[in-house]
Amino acid sequence: DAGVTQSPTHLIKTRGQQVTLRCSPKSGHDTVSWYQQALGQGPQFIFQYYEEEERQRGNFPDRFSGHQFPNYSSELNVNALLLGDSALYLCASSFNLHEQYFGPGTRLTVT
Amino acid sequence: QKEVEQDPGPLSVPEGAIVSLNCTYSNSAFQYFMWYRQYSRKGPELLMYTYSSGNKEDGRFTAQVDKSSKYISLFIRDSQPSDSATYLCAMSVDDYKLSFGAGTTVTVRA
């Protein structure tokens, strides 16, 4: 049984560019949440998707947007990248609002 | 004041010792409490998930929640070098958004 998968593993972007990160949830899970983890900090909640709708959003600007597909996979898009967006981006999946299981993350470096 | 405060460590213990990790929180509405383990440059791994107050044991791990004091703990018995990692506490009001502590880095010396 595959766990949560994320792609790409690592990418480098330039300030002002746009990036799309992808997540496939654990089998049987229908809810996907995205988190940003800066170095030495705990993850910060970005938003959560359920039934292809954004259900809840954290304190992140509109430059951060997402999407959930009918197969429950999800994308995180970040526009107009800033140096401060450099972080580990984590996807977590869950079923019926219980335990959230995290993927390995995508490490984004903005130069 | 942060919503979730966690002892920053780092914590270094000899193999076989008991590791004690703690978090305090300010939001009395939290009712779901979790502990995650995160190895360097990896995603967090769920260790313990508890609802409301009380104790929960799973193998060498024991989680305690004291809602009256807004305090949660994780104990690791018979610690092993493979337990060396960063431990994150997390909590939630409604199982949607998780609020995390900053993490405690633990090293178990062989």
Side-chain angles (χ1 to χ4, degrees):
Chain A
D1 178 24
V4 180
T5 59
Q6 292 186 244
S7 63
T9 303
H10 184 199
L11 75 167
I12 301 173
K13 291 287 189 177
T14 303
R15 273 181 301 174
Q17 286 188 318
Q18 178 264 344
V19 68
T20 297
L21 311 181
R22 295 175 177 81
C23 171
S24 291
K26 186 177 168 66
S27 178
H29 286 188
D30 58 3
T31 302
V32 172
S33 303
W34 286 92
Y35 293 80
Q36 179 196 65
Q37 186 177 25
L39 199 61
Q41 300 298 316
Q44 297 292 313
F45 177 78
I46 303 175
F47 41 54
Q48 185 179 86
Y49 277 84
Y50 173 71
E51 291 189 342
E52 302 180 51
E53 297 286 333
E54 182 182 291
R55 178 157 61 181
Q56 194 173 52
R57 187 179 183 92
N59 189 25
F60 279 80
D62 291 344
R63 298 187 298 109
F64 290 78
S65 63
H67 188 78
Q68 186 179 34
F69 299 94
N71 67 352
Y72 308 117
S73 66
S74 177
E75 288 182 348
L76 165 65
N77 300 292
V78 186
N79 294 323
L81 284 167
L82 303 174
L83 294 179
D85 294 332
S86 295
L88 181 67
Y89 287 85
L90 295 162
C91 168
S93 73
S94 57
F95 173 72
N96 206 21
L97 295 182
H98 291 310
E99 298 97 322
Q100 293 190 25
Y101 293 88
F102 283 82
T106 294
R107 186 161 298 280
L108 172 65
T109 302
V110 182
T111 62
Chain B
Q1 182 188 5
K2 291 183 179 179
E3 200 171 35
V4 181
E5 298 277 1
Q6 183 170 2
D7 292 343
L11 198 59
S12 180
V13 301
E15 185 175 356
I18 295 175
V19 176
S20 174
L21 302 165
N22 309 295
C23 287
T24 58
Y25 60 93
S26 57
N27 187 349
S28 58
F30 285 142
Q31 52 181 347
Y32 299 92
F33 303 91
M34 289 133 274
W35 286 95
Y36 286 85
R37 176 174 65 195
Q38 186 173 29
Y39 292 112
S40 181
R41 308 183 82 83
K42 302 291 185 184
E45 172 192 3
L46 181 64
L47 290 176
M48 301 290 279
Y49 174 92
T50 56
Y51 170 71
S52 195
S53 285
N55 294 355
K56 182 175 182 179
E57 187 173 318
D58 184 1
R60 297 185 295 112
F61 299 92
T62 299
Q64 293 183 348
V65 175
D66 182 349
K67 291 188 69 178
S68 62
S69 301
K70 299 192 183 71
Y71 187 89
I72 70 170
S73 300
L74 178 71
F75 300 96
I76 308 173
R77 292 183 300 281
D78 187 25
S79 58
Q80 305 295 311
S82 59
D83 294 325
S84 298
T86 296
Y87 290 81
L88 297 157
C89 64
M91 43 200 82
S92 175
V93 171
D94 50 14
D95 241 1
Y96 289 6
K97 162 191 169 184
L98 297 183
S99 296
F100 282 86
T104 301
T105 298
V106 174
T107 300
V108 180
R109 309 185 305 272

